[in-house]
Amino acid sequence: MAQRTGYSVTQIVLHWLTAAAILTAWFTHDAMKDIAKAAWDAGQAPFPTIHTASGALAMVLIIARLIIRRRHGAPEPEGTEFNKMAATWGHRLLYALVIIVPLLGAATWFGGFRNLSDVHEIAAKALMLAALGHAAMAIFHQFVKKDGTLMRMLRPQ
């Protein structure tokens, strides 16, 4: 596969849709424990909410992104060996968390594994910290290093 210098339109759209789904899940999580407890106390499975739908959507989108990345490639990280390693593992962490967090949420919400609720919440916080770090590094690259890294996710190759 040839070395890519940028992302495709599909990769860019999926990236931003994933970010929107993650943010939606984050900002709609407040009453989830109360809703689940009320349903479980009534002997029912909790119903899907905007939070659960956006979390599931984020997971589906990230899986699609991984498949497309595998088939079509992505630009290699640039910079020192440490920077390349940090970028690679930072992305791996993000991909893993965007899959793990919804799986934990689904196990808690639909599977009734209430004891996973706290693990889901901690993993979600880790995801948000990783996502904020990812965004901060993209902004740093764009405005401090001025190397065009952020533009690769705004303009298709």
Side-chain angles (χ1 to χ4, degrees):
M1 175 178 333
Q3 175 65 32
R4 297 191 60 153
T5 58
Y7 294 95
S8 69
V9 171
T10 303
Q11 289 171 308
I12 292 170
V13 169
L14 289 174
H15 172 271
W16 294 109
L17 288 174
T18 303
I22 291 168
L23 287 171
T24 300
W26 178 258
F27 286 112
T28 59
H29 78 279
D30 282 346
M32 297 304 289
K33 283 187 180 180
D34 295 335
I35 293 168
K37 184 178 179 342
W40 289 323
D41 288 350
Q44 301 170 349
F47 54 89
T49 65
I50 292 172
H51 175 79
T52 57
S54 58
L57 177 61
M59 185 178 69
V60 168
L61 291 169
I62 209 75
I63 291 169
R65 288 180 60 194
L66 284 168
I67 291 167
I68 291 168
R69 183 183 184 108
R70 184 82 159 151
R71 289 186 180 160
H72 301 286
E76 290 293 322
E78 297 176 359
T80 66
E81 287 305 310
F82 175 80
N83 288 350
K84 291 176 185 178
M85 181 186 68
T88 297
W89 283 100
H91 282 98
R92 288 177 180 170
L93 175 64
L94 278 169
Y95 281 116
L97 287 170
V98 177
I99 293 169
I100 291 167
V101 170
L103 287 176
L104 287 168
T108 302
W109 193 255
F110 298 110
F113 294 96
R114 299 178 196 185
N115 56 335
L116 291 178
S117 176
D118 289 337
V119 178
H120 170 69
E121 192 171 337
I122 291 166
K125 289 177 181 174
L127 171 57
M128 286 309 294
L129 286 173
L132 288 171
H134 176 69
M137 289 311 301
I139 291 167
F140 172 79
H141 275 273
Q142 184 63 31
F143 297 107
V144 176
K145 292 189 84 174
K146 300 180 192 251
D147 62 7
T149 298
L150 177 63
M151 295 314 294
R152 293 189 313 191
M153 199 45 80
L154 295 174
R155 275 193 237 133
Q157 178 185 19

Short mmCIF file of all heavy atoms in Angstrom, two decimals, residues 40-103:
data_model
loop_
_atom_site.label_atom_id
_atom_site.label_comp_id
_atom_site.label_asym_id
_atom_site.label_seq_id
_atom_site.Cartn_x
_atom_site.Cartn_y
_atom_site.Cartn_z
N TRP A 40 -34.64 -1.39 36.63
CA TRP A 40 -34.29 -2.66 37.26
C TRP A 40 -35.18 -2.93 38.47
O TRP A 40 -35.60 -4.07 38.69
CB TRP A 40 -32.82 -2.68 37.68
CG TRP A 40 -31.88 -2.76 36.51
CD1 TRP A 40 -32.03 -3.46 35.36
CD2 TRP A 40 -30.62 -2.10 36.39
NE1 TRP A 40 -30.96 -3.28 34.52
CE2 TRP A 40 -30.07 -2.46 35.14
CE3 TRP A 40 -29.89 -1.25 37.22
CZ2 TRP A 40 -28.83 -2.00 34.69
CZ3 TRP A 40 -28.66 -0.80 36.79
CH2 TRP A 40 -28.15 -1.16 35.53
N ASP A 41 -35.47 -1.89 39.26
CA ASP A 41 -36.35 -2.06 40.42
C ASP A 41 -37.74 -2.49 40.01
O ASP A 41 -38.44 -3.19 40.74
CB ASP A 41 -36.41 -0.76 41.25
CG ASP A 41 -35.11 -0.49 42.00
OD1 ASP A 41 -34.23 -1.39 42.05
OD2 ASP A 41 -34.96 0.63 42.53
N ALA A 42 -38.17 -2.08 38.81
CA ALA A 42 -39.49 -2.46 38.28
C ALA A 42 -39.43 -3.81 37.55
O ALA A 42 -40.42 -4.25 36.97
CB ALA A 42 -40.01 -1.38 37.34
N GLY A 43 -38.24 -4.43 37.54
CA GLY A 43 -38.09 -5.72 36.87
C GLY A 43 -38.04 -5.63 35.36
O GLY A 43 -38.33 -6.59 34.66
N GLN A 44 -37.66 -4.47 34.85
CA GLN A 44 -37.60 -4.26 33.40
C GLN A 44 -36.16 -3.94 32.97
O GLN A 44 -35.35 -3.51 33.77
CB GLN A 44 -38.49 -3.08 33.00
CG GLN A 44 -39.94 -3.25 33.36
CD GLN A 44 -40.72 -1.96 33.15
OE1 GLN A 44 -40.15 -0.90 32.93
NE2 GLN A 44 -42.02 -2.06 33.24
N ALA A 45 -35.91 -4.15 31.70
CA ALA A 45 -34.64 -3.71 31.13
C ALA A 45 -34.78 -2.23 30.81
O ALA A 45 -35.84 -1.79 30.35
CB ALA A 45 -34.32 -4.49 29.86
N PRO A 46 -33.73 -1.45 31.08
CA PRO A 46 -33.80 -0.03 30.75
C PRO A 46 -33.97 0.17 29.24
O PRO A 46 -33.46 -0.61 28.44
CB PRO A 46 -32.46 0.53 31.21
CG PRO A 46 -31.90 -0.50 32.13
CD PRO A 46 -32.46 -1.81 31.71
N PHE A 47 -34.68 1.20 28.87
CA PHE A 47 -34.92 1.50 27.46
C PHE A 47 -33.73 2.28 26.89
O PHE A 47 -33.00 2.93 27.63
CB PHE A 47 -36.21 2.31 27.29
CG PHE A 47 -36.23 3.55 28.13
CD1 PHE A 47 -35.72 4.75 27.65
CD2 PHE A 47 -36.73 3.53 29.43
CE1 PHE A 47 -35.72 5.90 28.43
CE2 PHE A 47 -36.73 4.68 30.22
CZ PHE A 47 -36.22 5.86 29.71
N PRO A 48 -33.52 2.19 25.57
CA PRO A 48 -32.44 2.97 24.97
C PRO A 48 -32.68 4.48 25.14
O PRO A 48 -33.82 4.93 25.13
CB PRO A 48 -32.50 2.57 23.49
CG PRO A 48 -33.23 1.28 23.47
CD PRO A 48 -34.19 1.32 24.62
N THR A 49 -31.61 5.20 25.28
CA THR A 49 -31.68 6.66 25.42
C THR A 49 -30.73 7.28 24.39
O THR A 49 -30.02 6.58 23.68
CB THR A 49 -31.22 7.08 26.83
OG1 THR A 49 -29.83 6.75 26.97
CG2 THR A 49 -32.03 6.41 27.93
N ILE A 50 -30.73 8.60 24.35
CA ILE A 50 -29.78 9.30 23.48
C ILE A 50 -28.36 8.91 23.86
O ILE A 50 -27.51 8.68 23.00
CB ILE A 50 -29.97 10.83 23.57
CG1 ILE A 50 -31.31 11.22 22.95
CG2 ILE A 50 -28.82 11.57 22.88
CD1 ILE A 50 -31.69 12.68 23.15
N HIS A 51 -28.10 8.76 25.16
CA HIS A 51 -26.78 8.38 25.63
C HIS A 51 -26.38 7.00 25.10
O HIS A 51 -25.29 6.83 24.56
CB HIS A 51 -26.75 8.38 27.16
CG HIS A 51 -25.46 7.90 27.73
ND1 HIS A 51 -24.34 8.69 27.80
CD2 HIS A 51 -25.11 6.70 28.27
CE1 HIS A 51 -23.35 8.00 28.35
NE2 HIS A 51 -23.78 6.79 28.64
N THR A 52 -27.27 6.02 25.26
CA THR A 52 -26.92 4.67 24.80
C THR A 52 -26.82 4.60 23.29
O THR A 52 -25.93 3.92 22.75
CB THR A 52 -27.94 3.63 25.31
OG1 THR A 52 -29.26 3.99 24.88
CG2 THR A 52 -27.92 3.53 26.83
N ALA A 53 -27.68 5.30 22.59
CA ALA A 53 -27.63 5.28 21.12
C ALA A 53 -26.36 5.95 20.60
O ALA A 53 -25.71 5.44 19.69
CB ALA A 53 -28.86 5.97 20.54
N SER A 54 -25.97 7.07 21.20
CA SER A 54 -24.77 7.76 20.72
C SER A 54 -23.51 6.97 21.08
O SER A 54 -22.55 6.95 20.31
CB SER A 54 -24.70 9.20 21.24
OG SER A 54 -24.73 9.23 22.64
N GLY A 55 -23.51 6.29 22.22
CA GLY A 55 -22.37 5.43 22.57
C GLY A 55 -22.25 4.27 21.59
O GLY A 55 -21.15 3.95 21.13
N ALA A 56 -23.37 3.64 21.27
CA ALA A 56 -23.35 2.54 20.30
C ALA A 56 -22.91 3.05 18.94
O ALA A 56 -22.12 2.38 18.25
CB ALA A 56 -24.74 1.90 20.22
N LEU A 57 -23.39 4.21 18.55
CA LEU A 57 -23.01 4.79 17.27
C LEU A 57 -21.50 5.05 17.22
O LEU A 57 -20.84 4.75 16.22
CB LEU A 57 -23.78 6.08 17.00
CG LEU A 57 -23.41 6.83 15.71
CD1 LEU A 57 -23.67 5.97 14.48
CD2 LEU A 57 -24.17 8.15 15.63
N ALA A 58 -20.94 5.59 18.30
CA ALA A 58 -19.50 5.85 18.35
C ALA A 58 -18.72 4.56 18.14
O ALA A 58 -17.74 4.52 17.39
CB ALA A 58 -19.12 6.51 19.68
N MET A 59 -19.18 3.47 18.78
CA MET A 59 -18.49 2.20 18.65
C MET A 59 -18.58 1.68 17.21
O MET A 59 -17.58 1.23 16.64
CB MET A 59 -19.06 1.16 19.61
CG MET A 59 -18.30 -0.15 19.58
SD MET A 59 -18.91 -1.37 20.73
CE MET A 59 -20.49 -1.75 20.00
N VAL A 60 -19.75 1.75 16.60
CA VAL A 60 -19.91 1.30 15.21
C VAL A 60 -19.04 2.13 14.28
O VAL A 60 -18.36 1.59 13.39
CB VAL A 60 -21.40 1.36 14.79
CG1 VAL A 60 -21.56 1.18 13.30
CG2 VAL A 60 -22.21 0.32 15.56
N LEU A 61 -19.02 3.43 14.50
CA LEU A 61 -18.20 4.31 13.65
C LEU A 61 -16.71 4.00 13.79
O LEU A 61 -15.98 4.01 12.80
CB LEU A 61 -18.47 5.78 13.98
CG LEU A 61 -19.85 6.31 13.60
CD1 LEU A 61 -20.08 7.69 14.21
CD2 LEU A 61 -20.01 6.36 12.09
N ILE A 62 -16.27 3.73 15.01
CA ILE A 62 -14.83 3.48 15.19
C ILE A 62 -14.45 2.14 14.56
O ILE A 62 -13.36 2.01 14.00
CB ILE A 62 -14.41 3.56 16.68
CG1 ILE A 62 -12.96 4.02 16.81
CG2 ILE A 62 -14.57 2.25 17.40
CD1 ILE A 62 -12.71 5.45 16.56
N ILE A 63 -15.35 1.17 14.60
CA ILE A 63 -15.07 -0.11 13.93
C ILE A 63 -15.00 0.11 12.42
O ILE A 63 -14.10 -0.42 11.76
CB ILE A 63 -16.11 -1.17 14.33
CG1 ILE A 63 -15.91 -1.54 15.80
CG2 ILE A 63 -16.01 -2.40 13.44
CD1 ILE A 63 -17.02 -2.37 16.41
N ALA A 64 -15.91 0.91 11.89
CA ALA A 64 -15.86 1.24 10.46
C ALA A 64 -14.56 1.94 10.12
O ALA A 64 -13.92 1.66 9.10
CB ALA A 64 -17.06 2.10 10.06
N ARG A 65 -14.13 2.85 10.98
CA ARG A 65 -12.88 3.57 10.75
C ARG A 65 -11.69 2.62 10.74
O ARG A 65 -10.77 2.75 9.92
CB ARG A 65 -12.67 4.64 11.82
CG ARG A 65 -13.61 5.82 11.65
CD ARG A 65 -13.40 6.86 12.70
NE ARG A 65 -12.04 7.38 12.62
CZ ARG A 65 -11.49 8.10 13.58
NH1 ARG A 65 -12.14 8.40 14.67
NH2 ARG A 65 -10.26 8.54 13.44
N LEU A 66 -11.69 1.64 11.65
CA LEU A 66 -10.60 0.67 11.70
C LEU A 66 -10.55 -0.17 10.43
O LEU A 66 -9.48 -0.45 9.90
CB LEU A 66 -10.74 -0.22 12.93
CG LEU A 66 -10.35 0.43 14.25
CD1 LEU A 66 -10.80 -0.42 15.42
CD2 LEU A 66 -8.84 0.67 14.30
N ILE A 67 -11.72 -0.57 9.95
CA ILE A 67 -11.78 -1.37 8.71
C ILE A 67 -11.25 -0.55 7.53
O ILE A 67 -10.43 -1.03 6.75
CB ILE A 67 -13.22 -1.86 8.46
CG1 ILE A 67 -13.60 -2.91 9.52
CG2 ILE A 67 -13.36 -2.43 7.06
CD1 ILE A 67 -15.08 -3.24 9.56
N ILE A 68 -11.71 0.69 7.43
CA ILE A 68 -11.25 1.55 6.33
C ILE A 68 -9.76 1.84 6.45
O ILE A 68 -9.03 1.81 5.46
CB ILE A 68 -12.09 2.85 6.28
CG1 ILE A 68 -13.51 2.52 5.85
CG2 ILE A 68 -11.45 3.88 5.35
CD1 ILE A 68 -14.48 3.64 6.03
N ARG A 69 -9.30 2.07 7.65
CA ARG A 69 -7.88 2.34 7.87
C ARG A 69 -7.05 1.13 7.46
O ARG A 69 -5.99 1.26 6.85
CB ARG A 69 -7.64 2.68 9.35
CG ARG A 69 -6.22 3.04 9.67
CD ARG A 69 -6.08 3.30 11.17
NE ARG A 69 -4.75 3.75 11.46
CZ ARG A 69 -4.43 4.98 11.80
NH1 ARG A 69 -5.36 5.90 11.91
NH2 ARG A 69 -3.19 5.30 12.06
N ARG A 70 -7.54 -0.06 7.79
CA ARG A 70 -6.83 -1.30 7.44
C ARG A 70 -6.75 -1.48 5.92
O ARG A 70 -5.74 -1.89 5.38
CB ARG A 70 -7.56 -2.48 8.08
CG ARG A 70 -6.89 -3.78 7.87
CD ARG A 70 -5.82 -3.89 8.89
NE ARG A 70 -5.45 -5.27 9.08
CZ ARG A 70 -4.25 -5.61 9.44
NH1 ARG A 70 -3.35 -4.69 9.67
NH2 ARG A 70 -3.95 -6.86 9.61
N ARG A 71 -7.86 -1.16 5.24
CA ARG A 71 -7.93 -1.36 3.78
C ARG A 71 -7.22 -0.26 2.99
O ARG A 71 -6.64 -0.52 1.95
CB ARG A 71 -9.39 -1.44 3.34
CG ARG A 71 -10.06 -2.71 3.77
CD ARG A 71 -11.44 -2.81 3.18
NE ARG A 71 -12.05 -4.05 3.62
CZ ARG A 71 -13.34 -4.27 3.61
NH1 ARG A 71 -14.18 -3.35 3.17
NH2 ARG A 71 -13.83 -5.42 4.03
N HIS A 72 -7.33 0.98 3.45
CA HIS A 72 -6.84 2.11 2.65
C HIS A 72 -5.66 2.85 3.27
O HIS A 72 -5.12 3.75 2.63
CB HIS A 72 -7.99 3.10 2.40
CG HIS A 72 -9.14 2.47 1.68
ND1 HIS A 72 -9.09 2.17 0.34
CD2 HIS A 72 -10.35 2.06 2.13
CE1 HIS A 72 -10.24 1.60 -0.01
NE2 HIS A 72 -11.01 1.53 1.05
N GLY A 73 -5.32 2.51 4.50
CA GLY A 73 -4.18 3.14 5.14
C GLY A 73 -4.50 4.50 5.74
O GLY A 73 -5.63 4.99 5.67
N ALA A 74 -3.49 5.07 6.33
CA ALA A 74 -3.59 6.39 6.96
C ALA A 74 -2.19 6.99 6.97
O ALA A 74 -1.20 6.26 6.87
CB ALA A 74 -4.13 6.27 8.38
N PRO A 75 -2.09 8.29 7.08
CA PRO A 75 -0.76 8.91 7.13
C PRO A 75 0.03 8.41 8.35
O PRO A 75 -0.54 8.18 9.41
CB PRO A 75 -1.05 10.40 7.27
CG PRO A 75 -2.47 10.57 6.92
CD PRO A 75 -3.16 9.28 7.18
N GLU A 76 1.31 8.23 8.14
CA GLU A 76 2.18 7.85 9.24
C GLU A 76 2.43 9.07 10.13
O GLU A 76 2.49 10.19 9.63
CB GLU A 76 3.52 7.33 8.70
CG GLU A 76 3.42 6.00 8.01
CD GLU A 76 3.05 4.86 8.96
OE1 GLU A 76 3.54 4.86 10.10
OE2 GLU A 76 2.27 3.99 8.54
N PRO A 77 2.58 8.84 11.43
CA PRO A 77 2.93 9.96 12.31
C PRO A 77 4.29 10.53 11.90
O PRO A 77 5.14 9.82 11.36
CB PRO A 77 3.03 9.33 13.70
CG PRO A 77 2.37 8.00 13.59
CD PRO A 77 2.43 7.59 12.15
N GLU A 78 4.48 11.81 12.17
CA GLU A 78 5.72 12.47 11.81
C GLU A 78 6.45 12.91 13.07
O GLU A 78 5.87 12.97 14.15
CB GLU A 78 5.43 13.68 10.92
CG GLU A 78 4.79 13.30 9.59
CD GLU A 78 4.40 14.50 8.75
OE1 GLU A 78 4.60 15.64 9.21
OE2 GLU A 78 3.90 14.28 7.64
N GLY A 79 7.70 13.23 12.92
CA GLY A 79 8.48 13.76 14.04
C GLY A 79 9.51 12.77 14.53
O GLY A 79 9.89 11.83 13.83
N THR A 80 9.93 12.98 15.77
CA THR A 80 10.94 12.12 16.38
C THR A 80 10.35 10.72 16.63
O THR A 80 9.13 10.54 16.55
CB THR A 80 11.40 12.70 17.73
OG1 THR A 80 10.29 12.66 18.65
CG2 THR A 80 11.92 14.13 17.60
N GLU A 81 11.21 9.78 16.93
CA GLU A 81 10.74 8.42 17.23
C GLU A 81 9.79 8.44 18.42
O GLU A 81 8.78 7.72 18.44
CB GLU A 81 11.91 7.47 17.48
CG GLU A 81 12.65 7.10 16.21
CD GLU A 81 11.74 6.53 15.12
OE1 GLU A 81 10.96 5.61 15.41
OE2 GLU A 81 11.82 7.01 13.98
N PHE A 82 10.08 9.26 19.43
CA PHE A 82 9.19 9.36 20.58
C PHE A 82 7.83 9.91 20.16
O PHE A 82 6.79 9.39 20.57
CB PHE A 82 9.79 10.25 21.67
CG PHE A 82 8.85 10.46 22.81
CD1 PHE A 82 8.69 9.48 23.78
CD2 PHE A 82 8.07 11.62 22.91
CE1 PHE A 82 7.80 9.65 24.83
CE2 PHE A 82 7.18 11.80 23.95
CZ PHE A 82 7.05 10.81 24.93
N ASN A 83 7.83 10.94 19.33
CA ASN A 83 6.56 11.53 18.86
C ASN A 83 5.74 10.52 18.06
O ASN A 83 4.52 10.43 18.21
CB ASN A 83 6.80 12.77 18.01
CG ASN A 83 7.28 13.94 18.82
OD1 ASN A 83 7.26 13.92 20.04
ND2 ASN A 83 7.74 14.97 18.14
N LYS A 84 6.40 9.75 17.21
CA LYS A 84 5.72 8.73 16.43
C LYS A 84 5.11 7.67 17.34
O LYS A 84 3.97 7.25 17.14
CB LYS A 84 6.68 8.08 15.43
CG LYS A 84 7.13 8.99 14.31
CD LYS A 84 8.16 8.29 13.44
CE LYS A 84 8.72 9.23 12.38
NZ LYS A 84 9.73 8.56 11.57
N MET A 85 5.89 7.24 18.33
CA MET A 85 5.39 6.24 19.26
C MET A 85 4.21 6.78 20.07
O MET A 85 3.20 6.10 20.26
CB MET A 85 6.51 5.79 20.21
CG MET A 85 6.07 4.71 21.19
SD MET A 85 7.34 4.33 22.41
CE MET A 85 7.37 5.86 23.35
N ALA A 86 4.33 8.01 20.54
CA ALA A 86 3.25 8.62 21.32
C ALA A 86 1.97 8.75 20.48
O ALA A 86 0.87 8.46 20.97
CB ALA A 86 3.69 9.99 21.85
N ALA A 87 2.11 9.17 19.23
CA ALA A 87 0.95 9.30 18.35
C ALA A 87 0.31 7.94 18.08
O ALA A 87 -0.92 7.79 18.14
CB ALA A 87 1.35 9.97 17.03
N THR A 88 1.13 6.95 17.81
CA THR A 88 0.61 5.60 17.54
C THR A 88 -0.14 5.04 18.73
O THR A 88 -1.27 4.56 18.60
CB THR A 88 1.78 4.66 17.14
OG1 THR A 88 2.37 5.14 15.94
CG2 THR A 88 1.29 3.24 16.94
N TRP A 89 0.47 5.11 19.90
CA TRP A 89 -0.18 4.55 21.09
C TRP A 89 -1.35 5.41 21.57
O TRP A 89 -2.32 4.89 22.12
CB TRP A 89 0.85 4.31 22.20
CG TRP A 89 1.63 3.08 21.88
CD1 TRP A 89 2.87 3.00 21.32
CD2 TRP A 89 1.18 1.73 22.04
NE1 TRP A 89 3.23 1.69 21.13
CE2 TRP A 89 2.21 0.89 21.56
CE3 TRP A 89 0.02 1.16 22.53
CZ2 TRP A 89 2.10 -0.49 21.57
CZ3 TRP A 89 -0.08 -0.23 22.54
CH2 TRP A 89 0.94 -1.04 22.06
N GLY A 90 -1.28 6.71 21.35
CA GLY A 90 -2.42 7.56 21.67
C GLY A 90 -3.64 7.20 20.84
O GLY A 90 -4.76 7.10 21.35
N HIS A 91 -3.43 6.96 19.55
CA HIS A 91 -4.53 6.56 18.68
C HIS A 91 -5.05 5.17 19.06
O HIS A 91 -6.26 4.94 19.08
CB HIS A 91 -4.11 6.59 17.21
CG HIS A 91 -4.09 7.97 16.64
ND1 HIS A 91 -2.95 8.70 16.53
CD2 HIS A 91 -5.10 8.74 16.18
CE1 HIS A 91 -3.24 9.89 16.01
NE2 HIS A 91 -4.54 9.94 15.79
N ARG A 92 -4.14 4.26 19.36
CA ARG A 92 -4.57 2.92 19.79
C ARG A 92 -5.41 3.00 21.05
O ARG A 92 -6.42 2.28 21.17
CB ARG A 92 -3.36 2.03 20.01
CG ARG A 92 -2.69 1.62 18.72
CD ARG A 92 -1.46 0.79 18.97
NE ARG A 92 -0.84 0.43 17.70
CZ ARG A 92 0.35 -0.13 17.59
NH1 ARG A 92 1.06 -0.39 18.68
NH2 ARG A 92 0.83 -0.43 16.40
N LEU A 93 -5.00 3.84 21.99
CA LEU A 93 -5.77 4.00 23.22
C LEU A 93 -7.16 4.55 22.92
O LEU A 93 -8.16 4.05 23.45
CB LEU A 93 -5.02 4.94 24.19
CG LEU A 93 -5.76 5.29 25.48
CD1 LEU A 93 -5.97 4.04 26.33
CD2 LEU A 93 -4.99 6.35 26.26
N LEU A 94 -7.23 5.56 22.08
CA LEU A 94 -8.53 6.12 21.70
C LEU A 94 -9.43 5.07 21.05
O LEU A 94 -10.60 4.92 21.43
CB LEU A 94 -8.35 7.30 20.75
CG LEU A 94 -8.03 8.63 21.40
CD1 LEU A 94 -7.61 9.64 20.34
CD2 LEU A 94 -9.21 9.15 22.18
N TYR A 95 -8.90 4.34 20.08
CA TYR A 95 -9.69 3.31 19.40
C TYR A 95 -10.18 2.27 20.41
O TYR A 95 -11.35 1.89 20.40
CB TYR A 95 -8.87 2.62 18.31
CG TYR A 95 -8.74 3.40 17.02
CD1 TYR A 95 -7.52 3.85 16.57
CD2 TYR A 95 -9.86 3.67 16.24
CE1 TYR A 95 -7.40 4.55 15.38
CE2 TYR A 95 -9.75 4.38 15.05
CZ TYR A 95 -8.52 4.81 14.63
OH TYR A 95 -8.41 5.51 13.46
N ALA A 96 -9.29 1.83 21.27
CA ALA A 96 -9.67 0.81 22.27
C ALA A 96 -10.77 1.33 23.20
O ALA A 96 -11.76 0.62 23.45
CB ALA A 96 -8.45 0.38 23.07
N LEU A 97 -10.60 2.53 23.70
CA LEU A 97 -11.59 3.07 24.63
C LEU A 97 -12.94 3.31 23.97
O LEU A 97 -13.98 3.11 24.59
CB LEU A 97 -11.07 4.37 25.27
CG LEU A 97 -9.98 4.17 26.32
CD1 LEU A 97 -9.37 5.51 26.71
CD2 LEU A 97 -10.51 3.44 27.54
N VAL A 98 -12.94 3.72 22.69
CA VAL A 98 -14.21 3.97 22.01
C VAL A 98 -14.95 2.64 21.75
O VAL A 98 -16.15 2.64 21.55
CB VAL A 98 -14.03 4.77 20.71
CG1 VAL A 98 -15.35 4.96 19.98
CG2 VAL A 98 -13.44 6.14 21.02
N ILE A 99 -14.25 1.54 21.81
CA ILE A 99 -14.91 0.23 21.72
C ILE A 99 -15.27 -0.29 23.10
O ILE A 99 -16.39 -0.75 23.34
CB ILE A 99 -14.02 -0.77 20.96
CG1 ILE A 99 -13.89 -0.34 19.49
CG2 ILE A 99 -14.58 -2.19 21.06
CD1 ILE A 99 -12.84 -1.10 18.70
N ILE A 100 -14.34 -0.19 24.04
CA ILE A 100 -14.54 -0.74 25.39
C ILE A 100 -15.64 -0.01 26.16
O ILE A 100 -16.47 -0.65 26.81
CB ILE A 100 -13.21 -0.70 26.17
CG1 ILE A 100 -12.23 -1.71 25.56
CG2 ILE A 100 -13.42 -0.98 27.66
CD1 ILE A 100 -10.80 -1.55 26.04
N VAL A 101 -15.65 1.32 26.10
CA VAL A 101 -16.62 2.09 26.89
C VAL A 101 -18.06 1.72 26.51
O VAL A 101 -18.87 1.41 27.39
CB VAL A 101 -16.35 3.61 26.80
CG1 VAL A 101 -17.50 4.41 27.41
CG2 VAL A 101 -15.04 3.95 27.49
N PRO A 102 -18.44 1.71 25.22
CA PRO A 102 -19.81 1.30 24.90
C PRO A 102 -20.10 -0.16 25.25
O PRO A 102 -21.23 -0.48 25.65
CB PRO A 102 -19.90 1.51 23.38
CG PRO A 102 -18.86 2.51 23.07
CD PRO A 102 -17.75 2.25 24.04
N LEU A 103 -19.11 -1.05 25.11
CA LEU A 103 -19.34 -2.45 25.49
C LEU A 103 -19.64 -2.57 26.98
O LEU A 103 -20.55 -3.31 27.39
CB LEU A 103 -18.15 -3.32 25.10
CG LEU A 103 -17.98 -3.61 23.62
CD1 LEU A 103 -16.69 -4.40 23.37
CD2 LEU A 103 -19.19 -4.34 23.05
#
